[in-house]
Amino acid sequence: RDHINEILDHWDAHDINLIVLTDSEQILGIGDQGANGIGISVAKLVVYTLCAGINPRRMLPIMIDVGTNNPQLLEDPFYLGWRHHRISSEEYHQFVETVINAIKEKFPQVFLQWEDFGKKNARHHLDRYQDTMCTFNDDIQGTGAVAMAALRNALKITGTPLSHHRVLVYGAGTAGCGIADQIWEQMIKEGLNHQEAYSHFYLMDRQGLVISDRENIDYFKAPYARSTSETEEWDPADDPTKLLDVVRNVHPTILIGTSTVHGAFNREVVTTMASHVERPIIFPLSNPLTLAEATPEDIIHWTEGRALVATGSPFNDVEFQGKSYPVSQCNNALIFPGLG
């Protein structure tokens, strides 16, 4: 940490236009990878070059090694990172600020992308630095942008204004809340006030439906929390921690999966949702294929071709009753390279 400027001095200030920065605490689908997360930063830069033609010599991947809580890595004799549990919150944020200040001083015009930070730190960094430098969080803003783009196209088919929809986000982490925020902002643009827009959302995380009386709600989830009185009106047998029971009671018209829970959108969940809406919009966005909440083939068959589906991973077209249904891939690679 005492040699940050010395390290950055290996590059000329005018040579670097774009940085992908990670601490790899929460890499999608595989979790905390410690110093191995540098591969994620490198891979993102590869996509910037492949999809947007950016000169790789003008980009820099950076991994900040603040330790790892992955026991397999800590015990691996070949692990190249710092063998230490992740440092305390106060020490961590001081270190990040030191890194960012050094980057801003060395590369004042750089575009910095935050990549695969833990949900609390990811949101904190974006809120802390987005008004002081050109910066972007792909997991929050990129995911939200491509999901909103897919949703706008789905709405053209349904013909129903966004303000008439009920949105259930299953997996209220970094990506899920980023998607909710983008949809919420679009509802505001279409004329709803802030509270009216929030009333159209239902967020579920590992503890179930986000409800206002829960202790220690993440600050970025709190505006979406539902009133306790709502669930008190449900059938006593229904459980707000169960996806099926939430679907049964709130009748969502848009169901978005960012949970990495394979098969969470099972037949009963999908058919229950489809029984209350003519054209259900269902986006199982978790990557990779093995973590998707459902397959497009199942969703289209279970809804007899009525569902509008977009996925995070690439799937083949679906054949149903003599008709071919192309599956839209709703992936961040459709936004961050062009943005860079």
Side-chain angles (χ1 to χ4, degrees), residues 102-164:
I103 289 173
K104 287 165 62 178
E105 183 176 352
K106 179 70 178 182
F107 310 112
Q109 302 301 319
V110 80
F111 168 56
L112 184 141
Q113 176 185 319
W114 305 92
E115 180 66 26
D116 285 331
F117 285 78
K119 61 180 181 179
K120 291 184 179 179
N121 289 331
R123 182 67 67 146
H124 172 87
H125 297 329
L126 190 60
D127 292 344
R128 170 73 176 80
Y129 298 106
Q130 66 178 354
D131 294 328
T132 64
M133 67 184 303
C134 182
T135 190
F136 162 76
N137 185 296
D138 188 39
D139 304 302
I140 297 173
Q141 297 167 297
T143 305
V146 291
M148 188 63 238
L151 183 55
R152 286 175 70 97
N153 284 332
L155 294 175
K156 292 177 184 177
I157 298 172
T158 66
T160 307
L162 183 59
S163 58
H164 291 192

Side-chain angles (χ1 to χ4, degrees), residues 59-75:
M59 301 185 291
L60 194 62
I62 298 181
M63 162 70 207
I64 55 172
D65 188 354
V66 294
T68 178
N69 293 335
N70 185 330
Q72 292 179 311
L73 296 179
L74 292 172
E75 295 168 7

Side-chain angles (χ1 to χ4, degrees), residues 282-302:
I282 303 177
F283 291 177
L285 299 182
S286 292
N287 288 319
L289 296 172
T290 54
L291 298 180
E293 287 80 8
T295 66
E297 183 175 18
D298 282 341
I299 294 172
I300 288 170
H301 280 76
W302 293 337

